[in-house]
Amino acid sequence: MKKSSYILLFTILSLICTSLCSCSKKNAFSEYIPETVSSHQFYYFTDNGYEKIDKPQNAPLSLPKPWTEATRISCATNSDNTGYALVNRKGILKFSDANIEFIKDLGIFERRTADNLVFYAKTPVFLVYKSSFFNSSIDQKGQHPFLIQFNPDQNLFFPIVNIENLNLNSSSQVVDYLWDEQFWTCCIKDTSQEKIDFSYLTFQPKETLLSITPMTAQKNLFISETNVNAFRNIKKSQTFDKAPERIKNLLKTVPEDLSFTCKIYTNAGHSPRTFIHSKHNAETTDFSVSAILSDSWSCAVFADGTVFFNGALYDRQILNSGKTLAIKLPKLTPGFMYSDFAISGTTMYIAWEESDFYQTKRSGFLSVDLSQALYRNGDVK
């Protein structure tokens, strides 16, 4: 989640958390969706991995760090029946039903921010960079990786493109991109001068991206300049009426006057798209929502833990005759929130973190046994 999203969320977080059980229209979820998760386990991140905890607030205290520097799940989504969560400063969590693997590579992750998880040919690809504002470890020598792939068969990370391959100097960092399954459009931050400069470019591989390495990238990329307006246009949030029909149907019972920002991932797909649900088409919204469109199901998780699900889990029957189901995750205390998620088999994994403005304190994830939350003895619950 980007800093702007945090600013939006945290300025209203105390209001949301203290009023979720009231009878206002914004808190209608609490009126008709009781806490329905019956089998779950919380985990928190440690220096070496993660540990079980009964509740997030009981995890050991952690010093606040800027979100770019903290150990936290920066994004999570699905590739078919495998879930992935990109863990900033550490590595990747790979979820195979109830099995969790934490694959780390400190050489890539330890001194860099990791974000923007997408898929190319069902292979996880993501961005790494260094925030010059919070990170003084940017050096002028050596190679500066930008685009990384994670090979799920070998559980290894491989650089694809370095900063130098884009004809950029060593003081430049690609801090954001959008991939539309054809072009990679990038925002570059240059700190070589007293004034920070931003520039923009697009590139397209001449051959399959996964066969490219920093040694071959220079001759295997079509690179062209673009501008800030073009970048903003492709990143711009759209109104919710333009969202995919399956997501609009999934959330059709949400009150019309409830405003939220919905980030939508597609199964093993391109960069997520963002849509704003607001009666007055305002940019400021009350809730953050993460959603995934998979082949057999669609699901959305609100920051307060309200979950909407439609379809069928892998190798299971369709739920509720195809009608949307709503469940509530365990309620978090003020200052904590849910964010991105993934589903594998009958297990759902949801990121949580404790936040204060742009800083993150404690963080981790929640696993939920959906066979208990949605199914009972093989029948629809």
Side-chain angles (χ1 to χ4, degrees), residues 128-147:
V128 294
Y129 67 96
K130 293 183 179 180
S131 171
S132 59
F133 192 81
F134 298 114
N135 190 335
S136 60
S137 67
I138 296 178
D139 48 37
Q140 304 299 316
K141 299 179 181 180
Q143 297 297 302
H144 300 80
F146 143 57
L147 200 62

Side-chain angles (χ1 to χ4, degrees), residues 10 13-21 30 35 40-43 53-59 301-306 328-340 350-355 362-368:
F10 302 151
L13 190 58
S14 60
L15 174 62
I16 293 173
C17 293
T18 56
S19 61
L20 275 174
C21 293
S30 299
E35 187 172 310
H40 65 274
Q41 177 62 60
F42 281 105
Y43 300 87
I53 194 72
D54 58 342
K55 297 177 182 179
Q57 63 266 31
N58 291 336
V301 176
F302 281 71
D304 72 305
T306 306
K328 285 286 286 186
L329 302 176
K331 184 178 179 181
L332 300 177
T333 56
F336 291 80
M337 57 179 281
Y338 292 108
S339 57
D340 283 0
I350 311 99
W352 64 263
E353 62 183 66
E354 180 187 20
S355 303
R362 293 168 286 189
S363 65
F365 59 97
L366 168 71
S367 69
V368 176

Side-chain angles (χ1 to χ4, degrees), residues 22-271:
S22 73
C23 295
S24 68
K25 291 182 179 179
K26 287 185 179 180
N27 305 310
F29 294 153
S30 299
E31 297 178 22
Y32 67 88
I33 308 175
E35 187 172 310
T36 48
V37 170
S38 56
S39 181
H40 65 274
Q41 177 62 60
F42 281 105
Y43 300 87
Y44 70 96
F45 289 120
T46 67
D47 290 339
N48 298 317
Y50 59 90
E51 298 288 344
K52 292 181 179 179
I53 194 72
D54 58 342
K55 297 177 182 179
Q57 63 266 31
N58 291 336
L61 295 177
S62 178
L63 291 175
K65 294 181 180 180
W67 63 270
T68 58
E69 316 306 303
T71 299
R72 53 180 289 274
I73 292 178
S74 58
C75 40
T77 186
N78 268 72
S79 177
D80 294 335
N81 195 27
T82 303
Y84 296 94
L86 188 62
V87 183
N88 192 46
R89 299 291 170 149
K90 296 295 183 183
I92 273 184
L93 288 165
K94 184 168 72 172
F95 306 118
S96 302
D97 206 342
N99 182 55
I100 305 171
E101 294 182 82
F102 198 179
I103 303 94
K104 293 177 283 187
D105 188 327
L106 297 185
I108 290 176
F109 285 86
E110 189 175 30
R111 300 167 68 195
R112 298 181 177 91
T113 301
D115 207 347
N116 289 37
L117 178 64
V118 297
F119 294 87
Y120 187 98
K122 298 188 177 182
T123 297
V125 176
F126 58 94
L127 161 74
V128 294
Y129 67 96
K130 293 183 179 180
S131 171
S132 59
F133 192 81
F134 298 114
N135 190 335
S136 60
S137 67
I138 296 178
D139 48 37
Q140 304 299 316
K141 299 179 181 180
Q143 297 297 302
H144 300 80
F146 143 57
L147 200 62
I148 308 292
Q149 69 161 298
F150 170 68
N151 186 305
D153 296 322
Q154 302 176 13
N155 279 356
L156 293 173
F157 299 93
F158 299 101
I160 302 174
V161 181
N162 285 352
I163 289 296
E164 292 77 10
N165 302 137
L166 301 178
N167 301 319
L168 301 173
N169 60 51
S170 58
S171 61
S172 297
Q173 298 284 321
V174 176
V175 294
D176 197 7
Y177 68 65
L178 186 137
W179 180 55
D180 62 4
E181 297 187 315
Q182 184 177 6
F183 296 99
W184 301 77
T185 305
C186 306
C187 173
I188 299 106
K189 181 179 180 180
D190 186 353
T191 58
S192 59
Q193 306 298 323
E194 290 185 5
K195 179 182 178 181
I196 296 175
D197 291 322
F198 288 91
S199 59
Y200 306 85
L201 61 79
T202 65
F203 71 86
Q204 185 180 28
K206 298 178 182 179
E207 56 185 57
T208 177
L209 183 75
L210 302 182
S211 67
I212 294 175
T213 70
M215 296 294 293
T216 64
Q218 195 76 40
K219 62 181 180 181
N220 284 309
L221 297 177
F222 292 108
I223 303 173
S224 60
E225 292 184 1
T226 186
N227 56 57
V228 61
N229 291 330
F231 184 78
R232 286 175 178 173
N233 284 336
I234 65 171
K235 292 285 289 186
K236 184 179 179 180
S237 300
Q238 300 184 56
T239 55
F240 195 71
D241 62 295
K242 295 182 175 65
E245 288 298 322
R246 287 173 60 195
I247 294 297
K248 288 194 290 186
N249 182 65
L250 177 73
L251 301 178
K252 67 181 180 181
T253 59
V254 173
E256 290 186 5
D257 60 349
L258 183 69
S259 59
F260 58 84
T261 301
C262 185
K263 178 176 63 174
I264 303 175
Y265 290 92
T266 56
N267 175 61
H270 49 67
S271 295

